[in-house]
């Protein structure tokens, strides 16, 4: 099943994948800086926005659906993934780099959960707590997760206020998304170095430590890393003009 999509702008195709508990319109504020230069295609992940949960938000099914949709865009697009969307983008780029002309990872990590050999992730107990709370209070759980994303980032917090009234994603797919964040580890399954890659990361990110993005930069020869010293988990909300400028300069 195809995911709901919205298209705006003209130019090179840029596909945008949102994070857990959000939807494609989280990028609305950023579009003003992108659409003069790009044909922006925003997908709603399963169970989020206008895409039904249907078969769920599983790893293999989601990558297969994403590959089919990208192949249907008519050209090799740029793929930008933020947070959970970044995990999916990284997985797709590792398996089907032929579908893409470039990869942009924002607040992304190859492994969101902390492991004995991976200190730059969320503690397993914290993720388990979110999963348990999701069954009791789905809306409250999403609000707490969103608040964590914009902690120490006043500008992003202002943008978040407009999103609090959005419909709650399907709790089944929210639970599936937490499983992906808990279980997927892509450190041994990375895109080839020939795929141009840009990594954007807020140094105050409370969900994905900047060290995880810096690890990706080192593991992907030829990638570019751009860090934001004063920003958190959502740089495109806090510094949309700067993020768009870096993207355009990287492509140039």
């Amino acid at each position: 099943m195809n995911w709901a999509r919205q298209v705006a702008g003209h130019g090179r195709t840029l596909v945008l994948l949102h994070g857990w508990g959000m939807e494609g319109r989280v990028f609305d504020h950023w579009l003003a800086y992108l659409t003069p230069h790009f044909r922006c295609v925003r997908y709603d992940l399963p169970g989020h926005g206008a895409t039904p949960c249907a078969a769920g938000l599983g790893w293999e099914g989601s990558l297969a659906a994403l590959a089919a949709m990208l192949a249907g865009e008519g050209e090799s697009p740029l793929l930008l993934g933020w947070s959970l969307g970044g995990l999916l983008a990284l997985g797709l780029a590792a398996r089907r780099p032929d579908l893409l002309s470039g990869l942009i990872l924002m607040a992304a990590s190859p492994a969101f959960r902390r492991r004995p050999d991976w200190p730059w992730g969320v503690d397993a107990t914290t993720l388990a707590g979110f999963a348990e709370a999701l069954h009791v209070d789905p809306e409250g759980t999403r609000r707490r997760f969103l608040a964590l994303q914009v902690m120490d980032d006043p500008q992003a917090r202002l943008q978040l206020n407009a999103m609090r009234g959005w419909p709650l994603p399907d709790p089944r797919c929210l639970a599936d998304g937490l499983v992906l964040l808990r279980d997927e580890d892509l450190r041994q399954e990375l895109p080839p170095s020939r795929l141009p890659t840009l990594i954007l990361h807020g140094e105050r990110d409370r969900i994905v430590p900047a060290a995880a993005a810096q690890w990706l930069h080192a593991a992907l020869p030829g990638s570019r890393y751009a860090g934001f010293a004063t920003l958190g988990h959502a740089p495109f909300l806090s510094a949309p003009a700067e993020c768009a400028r870096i993207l355009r300069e990287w492509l140039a």
Side-chain angles (χ1 to χ4, degrees):
M1 183 188 72
N2 284 346
W3 302 347
R5 64 196 282 273
Q6 305 86 39
V7 182
H10 302 278
R12 191 170 179 180
T13 298
L14 171 64
V15 173
L16 302 127
L17 298 180
H18 63 82
W20 186 87
M22 302 304 295
E23 53 188 83
R25 59 176 164 163
V26 72
F27 297 111
D28 278 359
H29 179 64
W30 198 23
L31 286 186
Y33 303 90
L34 295 176
T35 52
H37 311 280
F38 302 100
R39 172 181 173 264
C40 295
V41 180
R42 293 165 291 158
Y43 291 145
D44 288 340
L45 299 183
H48 297 65
T51 304
C53 194
L57 182 54
W59 183 249
E60 295 297 334
S62 295
L63 290 187
L66 182 57
M69 290 184 295
L70 291 174
E73 288 297 341
E75 62 173 294
S76 295
L78 298 160
L79 178 60
L80 183 148
W82 167 57
S83 195
L84 173 58
L87 186 71
L88 289 166
L90 190 63
L92 187 283
R95 296 187 181 190
R96 294 298 309 273
D98 57 297
L99 292 175
L100 305 177
S101 59
L103 175 67
I104 304 99
L105 300 171
M106 183 177 290
S109 173
F112 274 76
R113 174 171 58 84
R114 189 178 304 161
R115 291 162 166 81
D117 62 342
W118 181 255
W120 307 307
V122 178
D123 185 79
T125 303
T126 301
L127 283 172
F130 271 111
E132 182 177 348
L134 187 62
H135 292 291
V136 179
D137 182 10
E139 182 59 55
T141 303
R142 181 177 70 157
R143 284 199 304 268
R144 287 191 292 274
F145 191 79
L146 296 182
L148 188 62
Q149 293 184 36
V150 298
M151 191 174 292
D152 298 330
D153 195 337
Q155 186 58 40
R157 194 177 304 120
L158 288 175
Q159 296 293 328
L160 175 67
N161 289 334
M163 304 170 196
R164 295 187 186 278
W166 289 2
L168 180 71
D170 191 308
R172 295 171 299 163
C173 276
L174 286 177
D176 288 347
L178 288 178
V179 170
L180 297 187
L181 295 176
R182 181 193 70 193
D183 292 349
E184 296 305 321
D185 183 350
L186 303 182
R187 286 177 291 167
Q188 302 304 317
E189 189 181 359
L190 294 174
S193 58
R194 69 177 182 275
L195 181 66
T197 301
L198 172 65
I199 300 167
L200 301 167
H201 211 92
E203 305 286 346
R204 292 185 178 179
D205 194 326
R206 292 297 192 96
I207 297 174
V208 180
Q214 291 160 2
W215 183 94
L216 272 175
H217 176 45
L220 296 171
S223 63
R224 180 184 173 189
Y225 175 80
F228 301 89
T230 63
L231 304 186
H233 192 64
F236 67 95
L237 290 179
S238 311
E242 181 70 1
C243 288
R245 181 189 63 78
I246 292 171
L247 174 55
R248 294 196 309 272
E249 288 182 355
W250 169 67
L251 290 171

